[in-house]
Amino acid sequence: MTPAWAQRQAELLSDCLVSPDVFHHMVDRLREFAVPYQHALETGASQRNVPLYLAGLLSHLNRKNAEQIAALVDVERLVMQAFIGTAPWDHRPLIAVLVGQVVERLGEPDGIIAFDPSSFPKRGTHSVGVKRQWCSHRGKVDNCQVGVFMAYVSRHDHALLDFRLSLPQDWARDAQRRQACHVPEDVRYQTRHEQCLEMLAVWGEQVPHGWVTGDDELGRHTQFRDELRARGERYVLGVPCTTMMRDLEAPLPAYQGRGRRSKVPWQSVRGWRQSLGSTGWTHLTVRDGEKGPVEIEMVTRRIQTRLERKRTGPDEWLVVTRRPLADGRTMEPCASRDATDHDTRHRYRYYLTPTCVSESELEEPLLAELARVIKAGACIEASFQRGKGEAGMDAYQVRTWQGWHHHMALTLIAVWFLISETHRGQQLTPALTLPQVRYGLSVLLLEVFCTFSIASICRHVQRQLMRHESARFYHHRIRNCLPPRKLRRDIQ
């Protein structure tokens, strides 16, 4: 090994030396972190349960539902289940506190607001909003719930800010199921791009940003792109490979001498890309990945797209990216089957960005800037992985409208605490990552909540036994037969 490589290896390993100050007083900082969120709630019972539920989400538990969290923090199961599932506290004040903290820490003028749906597979049919629909988690149509999330991406980090549960039309029309799941009367069916526009209207002015991005599920809706242009928003939105376009930079067909001059014919973006061949592509290095530089090739073209009823849309720039098929690392999510296509060597994705917003003409963006915005799609996927892998975002066992929103709000808050602690710890240990912070915190929480005494063991076993016997009693009662007592054995 040459001296330069040996020196760099030594530098990288020195960045891994963990200072005890990274984890000193972390549990105390968690309590202090929860105080603004407690003040955002009105009732004392809800205020007391916020830090306990956050601790459960950040603990070692494999199943981070209300019952398991209650057992960990030594609270009655029904108390914690009621706090999450049916208590009438509003989650929106918590989100307002979260947004303010994220903007203060991560905000920058050219930040990126990213929208993306995320699915949560479910087996039953009684949980609010569950039905057979496209499940991105499994890459197929399956039984699931879908939430639409808003994230903020800056050069410092990324975090989820807000969310909406996607309530299908058949659920919105079913009064009996709405009542069973406590869906508020003012909640009506909304498309997912309408939910994105609603979140943008609520937070757009408070969250500094220069771009809006999303996958092809949003970009395929011409009305969504029209609304963003009308609001003065600059976007980079994925579109399907079947999107019809007219190349405005291509030479016009030869004039035949009579009638109107022919225009450039319509074709799919995939067909245009195939005619492009290997020329015109610009090579860019997007970022330094864990396995080496993440590289991408891009090409842009000024085009028009076709709207509904064969109407012609406004001018937009088409952005096409390609990466080698052998490169298994993904830089942006795949929302549907036609979000991407490939040939023998490369995988291709397609995006649209406006040439004008609010009747103001825009300059063609730099390729490096477009690549930065496209990369935000991967950042929101990483945010989902943080939430589901470290804070139990998908581990809930609630059926009600309030329960889903309560759990999601507290999950986003828990992940934000991990992000803040990671930034703090990286000042002492530059190689520190968020999963290691969560591991250290989970061990510290064990010392707080698990005393490992005979009394604590008895309480835990008694809680499980009473849960089982209550269930047995219920099943016998609905069959109108008195449950027998368990056999008592004499001690020899």
Side-chain angles (χ1 to χ4, degrees):
M1 185 182 299
T2 63
W5 285 97
Q7 180 181 356
R8 179 49 55 92
Q9 184 183 36
E11 292 171 349
L12 293 175
L13 295 179
S14 67
D15 290 343
C16 299
L17 299 179
V18 181
S19 169
D21 291 336
V22 172
F23 298 102
H24 275 164
H25 308 297
M26 186 176 286
V27 175
D28 294 334
R29 290 195 296 273
L30 176 60
R31 295 193 186 101
E32 295 173 0
F33 170 83
V35 170
Y37 297 96
Q38 291 176 280
H39 290 167
L41 299 180
E42 297 179 354
T43 63
S46 298
Q47 293 176 352
R48 288 192 299 271
N49 288 323
V50 166
L52 296 178
Y53 199 82
L54 289 177
L57 292 175
L58 298 171
S59 69
H60 67 287
L61 295 174
N62 291 328
R63 300 174 59 195
K64 296 177 181 179
N65 53 53
E67 182 175 352
Q68 296 293 324
I69 291 175
L72 172 69
V73 300
D74 200 15
V75 173
E76 287 297 328
R77 171 180 61 88
L78 295 178
V79 171
M80 192 61 71
Q81 287 180 335
F83 165 67
I84 288 296
T86 58
W89 56 273
D90 189 357
H91 72 282
R92 287 172 293 187
L94 301 185
I95 295 299
V97 176
L98 172 66
V99 171
Q101 292 180 349
V102 173
V103 169
E104 182 181 359
R105 179 71 65 86
L106 305 183
E108 58 184 14
D110 60 346
I112 304 165
I113 290 178
F115 294 106
D116 194 24
S118 184
S119 58
F120 302 89
K122 290 292 175 184
R123 292 184 178 179
T125 60
H126 300 290
S127 297
V128 61
V130 69
K131 66 169 292 186
R132 287 189 61 82
Q133 53 192 323
W134 175 257
C135 180
S136 59
H137 182 79
R138 293 177 174 170
K140 63 179 182 178
V141 175
D142 206 346
N143 214 49
C144 65
Q145 294 169 303
V146 176
V148 181
F149 290 81
M150 171 182 168
Y152 186 68
V153 183
S154 74
R155 292 174 178 84
H156 307 291
D157 211 321
H158 51 87
L160 296 173
L161 296 184
D162 201 0
F163 52 88
R164 297 288 187 274
L165 176 63
S166 179
L167 193 69
Q169 276 186 300
D170 52 349
W171 267 88
R173 296 170 179 169
D174 193 327
Q176 184 175 357
R177 286 203 291 182
R178 288 175 63 106
Q179 183 178 6
C181 293
H182 302 176
V183 179
E185 293 183 0
D186 60 339
V187 173
R188 295 291 180 263
Y189 169 73
Q190 287 181 300
T191 62
R192 294 173 188 175
H193 65 273
E194 287 174 342
Q195 292 178 318
C196 293
L197 292 172
E198 182 181 273
M199 287 187 279
L200 187 61
V202 173
W203 304 116
E205 294 185 1
Q206 183 176 344
V207 178
H209 65 281
W211 294 89
V212 174
T213 189
D215 59 26
D216 71 289
E217 184 174 352
L218 300 174
R220 69 176 66 219
H221 293 284
T222 57
Q223 183 181 356
F224 182 63
R225 306 202 305 270
D226 290 342
E227 287 284 348
L228 291 179
R229 285 192 297 270
R231 299 182 185 201
E233 299 287 354
R234 199 168 193 180
Y235 58 79
V236 176
L237 296 173
V239 292
C241 60
T242 55
T243 302
M244 299 303 293
M245 59 159 277
R246 173 181 285 153
D247 187 352
L248 297 180
E249 299 180 20
L252 295 175
Y255 182 52
Q256 301 298 323
R258 56 188 233 179
R260 292 184 179 180
R261 288 186 175 273
S262 300
K263 295 184 178 180
V264 176
W266 292 98
Q267 59 182 328
S268 68
V269 293
R270 174 168 50 192
W272 177 84
R273 187 269 305 167
Q274 291 172 343
S275 65
L276 186 64
S278 59
T279 60
W281 295 92
T282 301
H283 184 273
L284 293 171
T285 298
V286 179
R287 60 183 171 88
D288 290 325
E290 294 298 319
K291 298 181 180 179
V294 177
E295 300 175 333
I296 191 173
E297 291 182 288
M298 303 177 66
V299 65
T300 60
R301 187 61 61 97
R302 194 181 184 100
I303 67 165
Q304 283 181 324
T305 55
R306 178 174 284 177
L307 307 182
E308 296 81 1
R309 300 178 181 177
K310 296 185 178 181
R311 294 180 295 119
T312 301
D315 292 7
E316 294 176 281
W317 281 297
L318 170 69
V319 184
V320 185
T321 67
R322 74 177 185 183
R323 302 184 68 195
L325 283 175
D327 191 347
R329 295 171 293 178
T330 58
M331 201 178 77
E332 58 273 347
C334 182
S336 62
R337 294 185 180 97
D338 56 0
T340 181
D341 74 294
H342 59 84
D343 54 22
T344 57
R345 295 180 57 193
H346 297 95
R347 179 176 288 108
Y348 301 88
R349 295 182 186 271
Y350 307 90
Y351 305 87
L352 292 177
T353 188
T355 60
C356 65
V357 293
S358 300
E359 300 182 356
S360 299
E361 194 72 19
L362 298 173
E363 294 183 0
E364 184 173 0
L366 299 176
L367 292 181
E369 183 70 359
L370 291 172
R372 183 179 74 89
V373 181
I374 290 171
K375 189 187 68 168
C379 291
I380 192 171
E381 288 297 313
S383 292
F384 291 144
Q385 292 177 10
R386 286 174 173 178
K388 296 178 181 181
E390 306 298 335
M393 177 185 281
D394 58 347
Y396 58 89
Q397 291 182 343
V398 292
R399 292 182 175 179
T400 64
W401 176 271
Q402 296 94 332
W404 191 89
H405 287 79
H406 292 168
H407 178 82
M408 286 299 156
L410 292 169
T411 299
L412 267 57
I413 294 168
V415 174
W416 174 237
F417 175 75
L418 292 178
I419 294 172
S420 301
E421 284 297 305
T422 303
H423 289 181
R424 177 187 175 276
Q426 286 173 345
Q427 298 175 7
L428 304 169
T429 304
L432 191 67
T433 62
L434 188 143
Q436 277 71 50
V437 171
R438 207 276 303 174
Y439 163 75
L441 178 58
S442 67
V443 175
L444 294 173
L445 291 172
L446 276 174
E447 296 181 359
V448 174
F449 294 110
C450 299
T451 57
F452 298 107
S453 63
I454 296 296
S456 67
I457 294 173
C458 290
R459 286 198 305 271
H460 181 71
V461 173
Q462 177 178 308
R463 188 181 292 111
Q464 290 182 326
L465 292 175
M466 294 185 70
R467 176 81 169 90
H468 295 162
E469 288 303 299
S470 297
R472 189 167 73 96
F473 176 83
Y474 171 78
H475 288 299
H476 278 76
R477 184 179 178 182
I478 61 176
R479 290 169 174 78
N480 200 27
C481 55
L482 198 65
R485 297 186 67 181
K486 292 293 182 68
L487 177 66
R488 297 176 177 269
R489 303 182 187 277
D490 295 330
I491 300 178
Q492 300 296 330

